[in-house]
Amino acid sequence: MAAPVVPLNMLIIDDSLPYVEALYRDIQRFNILLRHAGSLEEGKELFEGPEGSSVVGVILDVKCKKTRRQEVPDSSFITAAIKYFGERACHLPLVVLTGETDQYNNLKELYEGTLRVYSKGIDENTMIEFLLAEAEKLAWVKHRLAYADVFAVIDRYLDKEAEQELLTCLKEIDTIDFTVIKNSLGCLRRLQEKVYLALNRADEELLPKRFVAGELNIVGAYKHLAETGQVERYKIIDRFAELIYKISSDNGAHTPHANPKYQPTRYSVHAVTFAMLDLLLWFGGVMDGRIRGATEE
């Protein structure tokens, strides 16, 4: 079975919907999902909203609308858009796209050495290859690609907060800063909670409400799953569920009454993080099975 490929989101601001739809179809082979805005105002809303954190590149039409109510594209759009993304997302690759030959030549000269300018109907493949190559240099994109099978599970069954919790741990996995180590373990504890909450929402027979109502009973939840045969007792997932909970709870989520003789290290974070990756894969398999079962019925 081939490893899943995690799609990457790119924002395009262009007032020509037919062009964007054609480009969307054409670049799906690159496993890119276009997030479209018809004006700078809408682009800002999308970028500053929940989807914004997943954007890995920005494509700007040269002549576009600055506000959604405008009827005629504004030639000052590009200056305002470049300024906005330069201030808010200077880490992201950004390109300029134009459909006018004269404009293309002028802009190539104007932005020489600072921005890539591409011509509509000619340069799309080159543009996408550039954006992808630059996006893959971003640390969080590297993590999503390296652990694509796990992030595919999070994308399907959890939320952006869960994605950020895991990315935080992976980003800081080698730190020796004790405060950051504790924070990473706290992130893993919250991520484990999300897994059991999602299982309950998917199927109360699988994980009854008594384990998640009020204060979440993680110990009761993972023991119930082993006792009912959903997890092999004393095998990988059973052992890892306990390890994640015990270490993250004792050293990350709660302040101990007395400091342990042996403090958690970066290797502790490694151990718990990779145990969590296995738990997430198991969780994804269970959720996939529930969906298949419902479809077959």
Side-chain angles (χ1 to χ4, degrees):
M1 182 177 178
V5 180
V6 179
L8 298 176
N9 293 324
M10 291 191 183
L11 171 62
I12 181 168
I13 305 181
D14 192 310
D15 61 317
S16 174
L17 183 58
Y19 174 77
V20 174
E21 290 176 339
L23 180 62
Y24 184 92
R25 290 191 296 270
D26 187 48
I27 67 173
Q28 279 188 316
R29 66 184 187 278
F30 293 101
N31 207 42
I32 290 173
L33 296 178
L34 284 183
R35 296 294 180 244
H36 175 230
S39 67
L40 180 56
E41 179 185 1
E42 293 163 282
K44 288 179 180 180
E45 289 174 1
L46 191 151
F47 189 71
E48 293 170 16
E51 286 187 285
S53 62
S54 65
V55 169
V56 302
V58 180
I59 303 168
L60 299 175
D61 189 13
V62 169
K63 201 171 182 181
C64 191
K65 296 186 290 185
K66 289 167 75 173
T67 69
R68 55 165 45 90
R69 292 184 179 179
Q70 272 183 255
E71 295 182 4
V72 180
D74 189 334
S75 58
S76 67
F77 159 82
I78 191 63
T79 302
I82 290 172
K83 181 176 185 295
Y84 171 79
F85 286 103
E87 293 173 350
R88 297 296 298 264
C90 61
H91 61 291
L92 292 181
L94 180 147
V95 299
V96 176
L97 193 57
T98 179
E100 301 177 21
T101 304
D102 291 342
Q103 199 174 53
Y104 170 78
N105 293 327
N106 292 335
L107 290 168
K108 283 278 284 186
E109 184 177 345
L110 177 63
Y111 293 122
E112 184 69 35
T114 58
L115 283 176
R116 299 287 185 108
V117 180
Y118 296 96
S119 183
K120 286 185 177 182
I122 299 173
D123 294 334
E124 279 85 355
N125 283 352
T126 304
M127 175 185 74
I128 293 301
E129 287 169 2
F130 167 75
L131 286 169
L132 273 177
E134 292 301 303
E136 288 173 3
K137 295 176 184 177
L138 299 171
W140 70 270
V141 173
K142 289 180 181 178
H143 292 316
R144 278 186 63 90
L145 295 176
Y147 305 103
D149 50 356
V150 175
F151 281 102
V153 170
I154 291 177
D155 289 346
R156 288 198 303 275
Y157 301 121
L158 296 176
D159 55 21
K160 294 300 295 182
E161 189 177 87
E163 179 193 38
Q164 289 305 312
E165 300 279 26
L166 183 55
L167 285 171
T168 295
C169 297
L170 292 170
K171 177 184 174 184
E172 303 288 357
I173 199 166
D174 283 314
T175 186
I176 58 173
D177 184 312
F178 186 65
T179 300
V180 179
I181 286 171
K182 285 180 68 67
N183 180 64
S184 292
L185 292 173
C187 287
L188 292 164
R189 164 66 185 270
R190 291 189 293 274
L191 191 50
Q192 186 179 29
E193 290 177 352
K194 287 179 179 292
V195 166
Y196 296 124
L197 287 168
L199 287 173
N200 166 259
R201 286 194 299 271
D203 187 346
E204 285 197 21
E205 290 187 10
L206 174 68
L207 190 63
K209 198 168 186 65
R210 66 178 181 274
F211 295 109
V212 301
E215 186 174 350
L216 183 60
N217 182 358
I218 292 183
V219 175
Y222 67 66
K223 285 186 175 180
H224 173 81
L225 291 169
E227 289 166 359
T228 56
Q230 299 298 327
V231 168
E232 294 177 282
R233 190 189 289 272
Y234 308 132
K235 302 297 183 183
I236 291 174
I237 298 305
D238 187 30
R239 294 298 195 188
F240 279 1
E242 181 179 17
L243 177 146
I244 295 164
Y245 173 75
K246 296 292 187 183
I247 295 179
S248 67
S249 182
D250 290 348
N251 299 282
H254 302 138
T255 302
H257 296 296
N259 288 328
K261 292 180 180 179
Y262 187 81
Q263 300 279 9
T265 68
R266 65 189 178 115
Y267 304 117
S268 311
V269 176
H270 274 251
V272 181
T273 299
F274 285 99
M276 176 58 73
L277 297 184
D278 256 332
L279 183 67
L280 286 165
L281 282 183
W282 166 81
F283 163 69
V286 171
M287 296 294 280
D288 289 346
R290 288 293 180 279
I291 290 175
R292 282 195 301 270
T295 303
E296 290 169 2
E297 289 177 5

